[in-house]
Amino acid sequence: IHETNLKKQGMLALTFADPDDYDDIREDATIDILGLTNFTPNGQLTVRLNHSDGTCEEFPVNHTYNEQQIEWFKAGSALNLIKMAQNA
């Protein structure tokens, strides 16, 4: 239920493909999510960690979004998608 609620609110719910990648995250890192322009069901996305010392690391992450849930994400939430459809 929690994951579905995140998805309906337009949040990006991801899990580590390799749990050991969690240890690469530093407190001062900024995070980029790569692959959102090609966001599809059953695919992976890539996290890029940009560390304050100028180094970067990338690793794959998993998601369980279906096509409808991806549309919710792109619209910012399920409610936004409903509102856009009503205004069309």
Side-chain angles (χ1 to χ4, degrees):
I1 293 173
H2 179 69
E3 184 178 354
T4 300
N5 287 339
L6 287 174
K7 291 174 180 179
K8 285 181 181 178
Q9 293 301 315
M11 301 295 292
L12 191 56
L14 303 172
T15 58
F16 291 95
D18 178 355
D20 290 336
D21 289 330
Y22 175 83
D23 295 327
D24 294 333
I25 300 173
R26 301 179 197 166
E27 185 177 320
D28 61 351
T30 59
I31 299 172
D32 296 321
I33 308 297
L34 309 177
L36 290 173
T37 55
N38 300 316
F39 192 14
T40 57
N42 304 315
Q44 286 185 315
L45 298 172
T46 300
V47 167
R48 177 186 294 146
L49 302 174
N50 304 293
H51 301 296
S52 63
D53 65 4
T55 61
C56 295
E57 297 179 65
E58 293 184 4
F59 54 84
V61 290
N62 300 322
H63 69 84
T64 59
Y65 284 74
N66 61 37
E67 289 198 29
Q68 180 182 31
Q69 294 165 336
I70 290 171
E71 292 304 313
W72 295 344
F73 173 75
K74 289 179 179 179
S77 73
L79 290 176
N80 284 348
L81 191 62
I82 293 168
K83 182 179 177 182
M84 289 188 310
Q86 290 176 342
N87 292 334

